[in-house]
Amino acid sequence: MISASNCLSQKKQSVDELNIFPVPDGDTGTNMSMTLSAAARELARLQDPTVSETADTASAALLRGARGNSGVILSLLFRGFSKSLAGKAEASAADLVDAMDAGVKAAYKAVMKPTEGTILTVARVASEKAAASDAADVPALWDVVMAAGQEALDDTPNLLPVLKKAGVVDAGGQGIMIIFEGMGKVFHG
């Protein structure tokens, strides 16, 4: 999560530049970065936490620090992660598959009118492909998550005409991919 926060902080401007849906206010990258930074600050204070403690701390900090629609959705995705990882000292590939599924379900359930072609779609497709994979370990699983998420992100203009007209992908979807990238850097050592 700290690595993800650092990656997003470095790339938030490029995400802001994509921001046209639901409102062209140019702040999705900034909002997601501020939200994730709240979790990174809390996580940096922990001493040798378990996966469960890490997930709980991140979830609570993300919720408290959520900014904008994208930050709220991000906090909901990781709230689902937290619930799924409760009580675990470590997480296997199978645990992460379950956590992603729980996160996606929590986010979709909390959004009144989920729109396909957004961060929700990118997270859902990545989760579904991860669940269908036979990845034996976390790095291999994360390669599946990254490939599936990128494919879903690239397809967002086909799902949302406003994105196609502007010639951009969904800003929140790009943001979650940057977060996944930062997480993957740690998973790959």
Side-chain angles (χ1 to χ4, degrees), residues 2-89:
I2 293 170
S3 175
S5 178
N6 291 338
C7 280
L8 188 56
S9 178
Q10 293 169 6
K11 298 178 181 180
K12 68 183 172 190
Q13 180 71 32
S14 64
V15 175
D16 283 345
E17 291 168 2
L18 297 172
N19 185 202
I20 63 166
F21 180 84
V23 179
D25 50 12
D27 63 358
T28 294
T30 299
N31 286 340
M32 291 179 81
S33 181
M34 289 174 67
T35 301
L36 200 53
S37 292
R41 282 190 301 275
E42 292 295 318
L43 291 170
R45 295 182 183 133
L46 298 180
Q47 299 291 323
D48 297 319
T50 64
V51 165
S52 178
E53 292 165 340
T54 300
D56 285 346
T57 299
S59 174
L62 286 166
L63 185 59
R64 284 191 310 273
R67 302 287 186 270
N69 290 337
S70 56
V72 171
I73 292 171
L74 182 61
S75 75
L76 293 167
L77 285 168
F78 284 99
R79 182 174 176 217
F81 260 69
S82 175
K83 287 184 176 188
S84 181
L85 295 172
K88 296 189 182 295

